[in-house]
Amino acid sequence: MPELVLYLSIAAAAITSLAMFWLSPQCRQARLGVLLVMAWVFGVYFVWRLGQTVLWGGFSFAALYTQFFVLVELLWLAEMVHDCHFYTYASRPLVQGISRALRQSSIDVVIASYNEPRDILEKTLLCALHLDWSAPIKIYVIDDGKRQWLAELCYKLGINYLSRPDNLNAKAGNINHALDYLHGDFALLLDADFLVAPFAIEKLIAPMVDAQVAVVQSPHDFYNPDPIQRSLGLESLSPTDQIHFFNDTLRMRDNGGAAFFCGSSGLIRLKALKEISGFPTDSITEDIFVSLKLKSQGYLSVTIKEAVATGLNPQSINDFFAQRKRWGEGAIQMNSCIWGSTQSWLRNLGVINRLQFFPVYWLISYPVRLISLLVPQACLLLGWQPLVNAPINQLLAAQGGVLILILAFNQWISRSHSQLLLSQIWHDVLALRLTFYFLFRLIKPNDKLVFSVTPKGSDAVHLAEASASSAAAQNPNTATPPRYFDVLVLSLLILTFACLALGVVNLNDAQSTAQSGVYAVSLFWALINFARIWFVYASLRREKAVRLEELQAPVRIMSDLWIDGLPANAVGEFQVSESSLSSTNENQVIAHRDLALLHNGTQRHIGRTNDQGKILFHTLKCRGLWLSRLTVASLEVGLERLNGGYKSAQAVAQTIKASFT
């Protein structure tokens, strides 16, 4: 390939990246223009790679290695094409108003539970009781744990309690058993740890004016940082992988008709759900599968922009791994069903529909990411060259254009919900831990899988304490991840450092060889890998002890809160939580204060603070009203952070500081 073409590709990449500052990712024409340039730059790169840098036809180790590595890059390209094709669709217009007929729709609120503790479930039920809707609402707790205390709590609160004689097919079976008791027009499904806002139905029901819409999914919001955020002190500085998924990826999938139900905070048309005989039981990710089955019958799953409930992230690294392992193996299991099953409903799904639900993230992204963490070091340590006949100027021009465009496009399309190196921590730690497991599942996708519920609340605390005790943990402020994985990451970190040192020592000798460009670029990527692995190790090493989590919000958000007869903002700066008021000023007195909330235009007294600022609620209903208003405030805080963007520079500084502490 003429070098001029490579230089033109990197110039086009640079100009397009600058143009993104003035282009809106919400504009379809802008997205198509950027994707067109990306297609040309990627095309130039792969024509150069396939035509010049691979030893085709050879069977030596060196030749097979170059062929293997270009195959890995082609898999990465397939993932890029799969993901980027969703950005070619026009944005689906959001329905704003609610028709008079929809306002007469009855709602069944379904809260699925198995083994969640009382401290979690009681909050969920109290918030559900404060849902605002003009038509009838019935709340159902469907309990696969068959707990007497939960049945008594439901009776006390006037909530319907259902259980079944067995636990067949886990959550899907639990919901399907309840379908015989649900007679509303729509069902609002909530996980047991999700606190729902009063306006949830109002926000979710508008798209249901279209009779083809069977599922309306809202983004998930979480009121506690996930374990990686806590480890590195990134609670308000860096978004988790879930933020990017729900606010960018899922929304773009919606434009392509491939959005799906995510297990909680979604409204489902009961007529459509009963028409397909309930949730599929062929996969432990029944939430995605139900959207696919509904799609086969002509129904749509759509999303809305605003979160309507807030829940709990996994509270330990172990729970984080277990949750993502379940998601991944369920997606692989579902993929096996849609390509290998002979069920009649699958005949209505075209190849494009099936490919849209192919688990590229679990089966392609993880292996490619793991290989990318190893190949540069192999080049420096063992001399394994991933490509040949690559002069430094051509290599920099070819790879540079691709790299510039990928980084710019990710930042542009995610609207700062993704942060260059930091956002990779979540994906890297999971790739290191789960890649081989998922590849095994690809070989045996139909092995018996167990639906494991992620521990939350006091259960998560007790589990972590038991784990720390059995591991003889010495530091009460940290928790120890699985030792073999900790050692694996540390070993890889040391190996990468050794490869870097060796690479620097041998750099002058390498400059005299024909492969000097490959060696120098491998040294650069090994340095990047060292930073990536360092951050992964820091997130494991600095894991914090699991604690009980509470909703929190600054008092400025609680505009309807009154303290001693005055608006809360006039009293002082407070941090408000589920159980207390804490002052931001050490001299501010927060004890013995009367608390009231504006409710239907009047002040409703809900409780009083004691000597320590703890809230003593007058009744359980008063606590429910407080939790409901605090849920709204917590969602507003999350929305502020989302719209205001995350602080990338501060996040990088904090991550570096934390990793050296």
Side-chain angles (χ1 to χ4, degrees):
M1 173 179 288
E3 289 186 0
L4 178 60
V5 178
L6 295 175
Y7 297 147
L8 286 175
S9 73
I10 193 172
I15 292 170
T16 305
S17 299
L18 290 173
M20 290 181 199
F21 284 103
W22 292 276
L23 297 174
S24 169
Q26 304 305 312
C27 174
R28 186 192 183 198
Q29 287 73 21
R31 295 198 306 269
L32 289 175
V34 170
L35 290 172
L36 189 62
V37 176
M38 288 180 68
W40 184 73
V41 171
F42 280 47
V44 168
Y45 173 74
F46 277 99
V47 168
W48 173 77
R49 277 286 281 122
L50 294 169
Q52 180 177 319
T53 65
V54 183
L55 295 173
W56 296 112
F59 294 96
S60 65
F61 177 81
L64 292 174
Y65 188 66
T66 62
Q67 295 164 29
F68 165 76
F69 191 67
V70 81
L71 175 62
V72 171
E73 290 191 31
L74 288 171
L75 285 173
W76 168 76
L77 178 64
E79 181 194 4
M80 288 288 295
V81 171
H82 179 277
D83 293 346
C84 287
H85 99 275
F86 289 112
Y87 297 110
T88 64
Y89 296 99
S91 299
R92 182 182 58 80
L94 295 175
V95 181
Q96 300 294 339
I98 302 175
S99 67
R100 181 176 299 179
L102 271 183
R103 289 200 176 275
Q104 305 306 313
S105 302
S106 55
I107 308 293
D108 291 331
V109 181
V110 181
I111 301 168
S113 178
Y114 174 57
N115 60 359
E116 297 80 9
R118 184 176 185 128
D119 58 288
I120 292 294
L121 273 166
E122 186 175 278
K123 295 191 299 185
T124 300
L125 302 186
L126 289 174
C127 283
L129 286 169
H130 285 86
L131 279 163
D132 291 333
W133 187 240
S134 54
I137 296 177
K138 290 184 178 180
I139 303 174
Y140 294 84
V141 170
I142 53 176
D143 179 25
D144 258 357
K146 305 168 186 63
R147 290 156 291 180
Q148 183 62 31
W149 66 262
L150 182 53
E152 292 171 357
L153 176 63
C154 289
Y155 178 79
K156 179 179 179 181
L157 297 175
I159 290 173
N160 299 286
Y161 174 86
L162 299 175
S163 64
R164 55 182 177 144
D166 56 45
N167 289 0
L168 187 64
N169 296 318
K171 184 178 177 181
N174 195 10
I175 298 173
N176 291 344
H177 170 263
L179 286 180
D180 290 337
Y181 301 88
L182 305 181
H183 303 292
D185 296 304
F186 303 101
L188 172 59
L189 269 64
L190 297 170
D191 278 347
D193 60 304
F194 269 72
L195 310 180
V196 66
F199 54 71
I201 300 172
E202 190 87 13
K203 296 289 185 183
L204 287 166
I205 204 168
M208 290 293 188
V209 70
D210 182 351
Q212 273 192 297
V213 173
V215 174
V216 181
Q217 178 64 52
S218 76
H220 284 186
D221 180 87
F222 302 97
Y223 61 89
N224 68 312
D226 80 358
I228 293 177
Q229 283 181 312
R230 287 187 64 209
S231 291
L232 300 176
L234 298 174
E235 287 90 337
S236 60
L237 299 176
S238 184
T240 67
D241 57 337
Q242 291 294 285
I243 294 292
H244 175 55
F245 171 77
F246 278 103
N247 293 281
D248 300 306
T249 304
L250 190 62
R251 199 169 298 166
M252 284 302 170
R253 289 185 65 96
D254 184 2
N255 296 338
F260 50 82
F261 179 54
C262 296
S264 183
S265 306
L267 195 68
I268 296 184
R269 191 183 298 273
L270 277 172
K271 174 180 174 291
L273 185 60
K274 292 180 179 180
E275 187 179 309
I276 63 168
S277 303
F279 278 78
T281 57
D282 307 88
S283 168
I284 57 173
T285 49
E286 75 294 323
D287 42 11
I288 304 178
F289 215 171
V290 74
S291 285
L292 194 59
K293 192 168 184 180
L294 286 165
K295 187 177 182 67
S296 74
Q297 303 304 310
Y299 290 105
L300 297 174
S301 297
V302 303
T303 64
I304 62 172
K305 289 185 175 181
E306 190 172 345
V308 300
T310 184
L312 279 169
N313 270 308
Q315 293 173 262
S316 73
I317 290 282
N318 283 345
D319 296 339
F320 175 69
F321 287 145
Q323 181 193 66
R324 303 310 168 85
K325 175 172 168 283
R326 183 179 77 243
W327 292 354
E329 63 188 9
I332 294 167
Q333 190 182 43
M334 181 186 74
N335 180 68
S336 174
C337 290
I338 63 178
W339 290 100
S341 176
T342 58
Q343 296 180 59
S344 58
W345 66 270
L346 287 167
R347 297 172 194 154
N348 298 328
L349 291 175
V351 174
I352 297 298
N353 295 143
R354 300 181 194 216
L355 287 175
Q356 285 180 325
F357 284 84
F358 184 81
V360 292
Y361 179 68
W362 310 106
L363 290 180
I364 296 180
S365 179
Y366 279 17
V368 169
R369 185 173 291 275
L370 179 61
I371 291 168
S372 76
L373 283 167
L374 301 175
V375 167
Q377 294 92 304
C379 179
L380 298 176
L381 182 65
L382 303 172
W384 295 357
Q385 301 284 354
L387 61 166
V388 296
N389 302 323
I392 185 67
N393 58 327
Q394 294 185 17
L395 184 56
L396 291 178
Q399 279 197 354
V402 171
L403 181 62
I404 289 170
L405 264 184
I406 289 174
L407 295 177
F409 182 77
N410 283 342
Q411 288 298 107
W412 179 64
I413 207 72
S414 70
R415 295 163 297 167
S416 299
H417 301 155
S418 178
Q419 295 174 328
L420 297 184
L421 193 60
L422 294 188
S423 292
Q424 306 310 310
I425 298 173
W426 282 263
H427 307 298
D428 286 341
V429 71
L430 290 169
L432 285 166
R433 178 64 184 268
L434 297 176
T435 295
F436 290 109
Y437 181 82
F438 290 148
L439 292 177
F440 172 77
R441 278 293 167 202
L442 180 62
I443 299 169
K444 293 189 173 183
N446 297 316
D447 279 8
K448 180 69 175 177
L449 297 178
V450 177
F451 187 102
S452 56
V453 178
T454 306
K456 301 286 178 70
S458 57
D459 276 1
V461 174
H462 296 153
L463 203 64
E465 288 174 347
S467 176
S469 175
S470 65
Q474 298 300 315
N475 188 344
N477 296 316
T478 62
T480 305
R483 189 60 191 167
Y484 78 89
F485 184 59
D486 197 16
V487 171
L488 171 67
V489 175
L490 178 59
S491 301
L492 184 56
L493 183 66
I494 294 171
L495 176 65
T496 304
F497 181 79
C499 290
L500 280 170
L502 184 64
V504 172
V505 170
N506 294 335
L507 186 59
N508 288 333
D509 294 337
Q511 295 300 325
S512 62
T513 69
Q515 289 295 91
S516 60
V518 174
Y519 194 89
V521 170
S522 294
L523 188 62
F524 167 77
W525 285 116
L527 182 62
I528 297 296
N529 284 351
F530 181 80
R532 291 167 64 186
I533 300 166
W534 175 268
F535 290 151
V536 168
Y537 181 66
S539 68
L540 297 173
R541 178 175 55 84
R542 300 188 77 256
E543 184 183 3
K544 301 295 191 298
V546 176
R547 66 190 181 194
L548 286 175
E549 302 284 356
E550 289 194 351
L551 283 168
Q552 294 187 31
V555 75
R556 62 179 175 79
I557 302 290
M558 298 281 287
S559 58
D560 52 357
L561 173 61
W562 289 63
I563 301 176
D564 285 343
L566 297 172
N569 286 332
V571 177
E573 289 294 325
F574 293 94
Q575 185 73 11
V576 182
S577 74
E578 296 174 19
S579 60
S580 66
L581 302 181
S582 56
S583 175
T584 57
N585 182 347
E586 293 183 2
N587 297 321
Q588 186 75 44
V589 178
I590 57 174
H592 307 298
R593 300 295 188 99
D594 287 315
L595 306 181
L597 288 170
L598 285 179
H599 186 64
N600 296 329
T602 60
Q603 288 188 32
R604 179 174 173 180
H605 292 273
I606 60 167
R608 183 176 176 83
T609 59
N610 65 10
D611 292 337
Q612 290 79 38
K614 298 291 183 183
I615 304 173
L616 306 176
F617 295 100
H618 295 323
T619 64
L620 194 59
K621 288 187 177 180
C622 289
R623 181 172 179 245
L625 180 61
W626 175 255
L627 287 171
S628 181
R629 297 298 173 84
L630 193 54
T631 296
V632 175
S634 178
L635 290 172
E636 288 182 17
V637 171
L639 192 60
E640 278 186 359
R641 191 174 297 150
L642 196 65
N643 293 335
Y646 288 85
K647 305 173 180 66
S648 296
Q650 292 182 37
V652 171
Q654 169 58 31
T655 303
I656 294 173
K657 176 184 175 183
S659 65
F660 281 98
T661 303

